[in-house]
Amino acid sequence: MNDFALDLRGIAKAYNKGRPSEVAVLRGASLAVKPGEVVALVAPSGAGKSTLLHIAGLLDTPDDGAVRHGGRDMVGLSDRDRTEARREDVGFIYQFHHLLPEFTALENIVIPQLANGQSEARAQARAKDLLARVGVAERAGHRPAALSGGEQQRVAFCRALANAPRLLLADEPTGNLDPATSDQVFSALMSLVRDTGLAALIATHNMDLAARMDRIVRLEQGRVV
Ligand code: ADP
């Protein structure tokens, strides 16, 4: 057992295994994130950041290596247990918001909570609280198309935190925003993460944003350096 929210050891992953087009993306990558710690994952495009985040978040399985959440082995779980662990442990944020277009901002944060067994009243209260924390409470009744890019992404942050995960994984969370908006939206994300004390691994190209996190790790040649 250990106290890391996320512990990756010796992760290997290749695509197109056994074919001439085989590409070894991760070659023994190791990385651990403590509760409350925010870690920047920095690497050029194509280096394997998304692959590592998908493995960390149980969306993909490694060819080799160990994945632990809160000290618990995740690789050996059944598909069903892994899906449940993902739903309970992990919040994801992507470069594009992926909000459900036919639902309001509030509903987009309520729905995952209902799916997780929360009551409607409590889900609504939590959604409103999260939206207020990122400064978009007054936009709660709008559908995504009526929100600015920065507002959409703030709502996506709230949705990722809707079920109070212990681990937040973000892949270029402000990558499609202009620099000024990116800066503000990133500040909102950081205060949300700090308020909730969760562990976060945030992939970014942006060194200014990376410098605002607790620690920077780089992915080079399939390893974390
Ligand atoms: P990053 O997020 O750092 O841009 P990715 O993890 O998306 O990197 O991709 C790493 C490498 O793996 C790239 O060369 C990419 O083309 C390749 N790759 C990613 N997913 C697949 C896949 N499903 N099949 C084959 N190759 C893939």
Side-chain angles (χ1 to χ4, degrees):
M1 285 294 280
N2 62 47
D3 294 332
F4 293 118
L6 171 67
D7 190 8
L8 301 174
R9 292 285 166 91
I11 300 295
K13 181 75 182 180
Y15 291 110
N16 301 337
K17 258 188 117 54
R19 283 185 247 152
S21 55
E22 175 169 332
V23 39
V25 178
L26 301 174
R27 309 159 181 257
S30 298
L31 164 69
V33 186
K34 287 183 276 190
E37 192 181 30
V38 181
V39 176
L41 178 64
V42 175
S45 178
K49 295 186 298 296
S50 304
T51 301
L52 191 71
L53 290 172
H54 285 165
I55 289 171
L58 315 180
L59 288 168
D60 200 355
T61 48
D63 299 331
D64 198 8
V67 179
R68 294 192 187 87
H69 287 180
R72 181 176 175 220
D73 168 55
M74 294 286 144
V75 176
L77 295 181
S78 67
D79 286 351
R80 192 175 155 186
D81 287 348
R82 195 177 308 115
T83 301
E84 190 180 316
R86 179 169 67 234
R87 205 177 59 215
E88 290 189 351
D89 294 353
V90 188
F92 280 100
I93 299 170
Y94 300 95
Q95 184 170 355
F96 299 98
H97 59 78
H98 299 301
L99 296 170
L100 299 171
E102 66 275 33
F103 293 99
T104 66
L106 189 81
E107 287 164 346
N108 266 278
I109 306 165
V110 166
I111 289 165
Q113 296 181 75
L114 300 181
N116 209 30
Q118 187 60 277
S119 73
E120 174 98 36
R122 293 180 78 152
Q124 293 250 0
R126 178 162 175 84
K128 285 178 186 162
D129 175 57
L130 286 168
L131 285 170
R133 284 169 190 264
V134 295
V136 286
E138 74 287 1
R139 314 292 278 162
H142 293 265
R143 290 184 184 183
L147 303 177
S148 71
E151 288 168 343
Q152 289 168 346
Q153 206 57 345
R154 287 169 198 246
V155 175
F157 298 166
C158 298
R159 181 192 48 188
L161 269 61
N163 286 322
R166 287 184 296 181
L167 176 64
L168 179 72
L169 299 170
D171 200 351
E172 301 280 356
T174 63
N176 72 329
L177 304 173
D178 64 76
T181 308
S182 166
D183 207 62
Q184 286 170 6
V185 168
F186 184 77
S187 296
L189 175 62
M190 284 298 277
S191 71
L192 201 53
V193 167
R194 296 298 188 199
D195 277 359
T196 48
L198 83 176
L201 181 62
I202 302 177
T204 182
H205 280 109
N206 184 325
M207 286 311 295
D208 292 335
L209 298 187
R212 292 165 61 185
M213 302 187 215
D214 298 327
R215 188 155 60 89
I216 299 176
V217 299
R218 288 187 170 73
L219 196 55
E220 279 176 19
Q221 315 283 336
R223 289 198 176 84
V224 175
V225 293

